[in-house]
Amino acid sequence: MRFLQIILSLSLCLTAITGDYIVFESKYSSSQVFRAFADSSVHASIGLLSATLFFTHEISISRYASVCNIIFCTILSSFIDIDHVMEAKSIYLKDMHNLKRGIFHCTTFWLIVSLLFILYSYVVKKLNIYILTFMIIIAYTSHHIRDGNRRGLWLYPFGHTPPISKFIYVALIGILPNIYAKIFTYMENGFYRHNVVNAGYKMVV
Ligand SMILES: [Zn+2]
């Protein structure tokens, strides 16, 4: 693992720990408005650092495209909380308090979405869709794992898991982007080699 990857992994763990402290234990935590904005900012920061860490691995993509993907992942990481507004049918924080979780907090929903995206990118052989899928995976897993420290994961129709321990949650936040990058490269090789072989075969035929 390169030096930059170690620094980014540690920064992710540190962001999760300090972010949780600021959101839930600081002197401003009693303010619902503060908590909502601080919580979204921590989700966005984790999305930003995770996507940046992902692109420090051997991923053949232009700098411009990687920046666009990092921005997308950052926005999606905090956008997931929009379903509190959808559930409350109101933008007022008092209405969003203590609501049950909306669909964007359902891990099964995102598993199905990412599976469909992977299949679609395989069929159309579009590298940008394949990369976009990993941005979606990074965004929802980081968001759900962080929320899961308090409320567990929602795996509809099987219900909720117990809350994820702080140690496991922080470790996963730091490690997962590296694992995703390895899976990405591994699958990409099979994916495109298969395509090139087929194209070559067609050309020969
Ligand atoms: Zn959330």
Side-chain angles (χ1 to χ4, degrees), residues 112-137 183-184 187-188 190-192 194-195:
I112 294 167
V113 168
S114 38
L115 193 68
L116 289 174
F117 266 81
I118 288 274
L119 285 173
Y120 180 69
S121 65
Y122 182 77
V123 170
V124 296
K125 307 284 182 208
K126 292 257 194 248
L127 187 62
N128 55 351
I129 312 250
Y130 183 54
I131 293 171
L132 190 77
T133 311
F134 275 80
M135 294 300 104
I136 294 171
I137 294 171
I183 295 172
F184 177 93
M187 281 175 64
E188 187 196 13
F191 199 73
Y192 283 94
H194 169 79
N195 198 24

Side-chain angles (χ1 to χ4, degrees), residues 43 80-81 84 105 143 147:
H43 280 307
I80 288 170
D81 277 337
H84 295 318
H105 282 82
H143 190 117
D147 282 1

Side-chain angles (χ1 to χ4, degrees), residues 10-67:
L10 291 176
S11 305
L12 272 163
C13 298
L14 211 64
T15 306
I17 294 166
T18 51
D20 284 354
Y21 177 79
I22 292 166
V23 175
F24 303 110
E25 286 167 56
S26 73
K27 58 180 176 176
Y28 307 107
S29 300
S30 52
S31 159
Q32 273 188 49
V33 178
F34 172 81
R35 273 171 74 136
F37 282 102
D39 196 38
S40 281
S41 308
V42 176
H43 280 307
S45 308
I46 290 175
L48 172 80
L49 286 169
S50 301
T52 307
L53 174 56
F54 179 83
F55 286 113
T56 61
H57 289 264
E58 319 258 298
I59 296 185
S60 44
I61 179 176
S62 73
R63 187 167 289 256
Y64 174 74
S66 59
V67 169

Side-chain angles (χ1 to χ4, degrees), residues 76-94:
L76 184 61
S77 298
S78 70
F79 181 80
I80 288 170
D81 277 337
I82 197 80
D83 69 2
H84 295 318
V85 180
M86 284 156 60
E87 282 288 308
K89 298 180 178 62
S90 159
I91 57 161
Y92 298 107
L93 284 165
K94 64 179 171 52

Side-chain angles (χ1 to χ4, degrees), residues 1-11 53 56:
M1 198 189 258
R2 293 208 312 255
F3 181 69
L4 179 61
Q5 288 157 359
I6 294 170
I7 294 292
L8 283 169
S9 296
L10 291 176
S11 305
L53 174 56
T56 61

Side-chain angles (χ1 to χ4, degrees), residues 86-112:
M86 284 156 60
E87 282 288 308
K89 298 180 178 62
S90 159
I91 57 161
Y92 298 107
L93 284 165
K94 64 179 171 52
D95 299 328
M96 294 178 216
H97 208 54
N98 291 331
L99 273 171
K100 65 180 175 60
R101 293 154 122 180
I103 186 145
F104 293 157
H105 282 82
C106 174
T107 308
T108 326
F109 166 77
W110 288 108
L111 281 171
I112 294 167

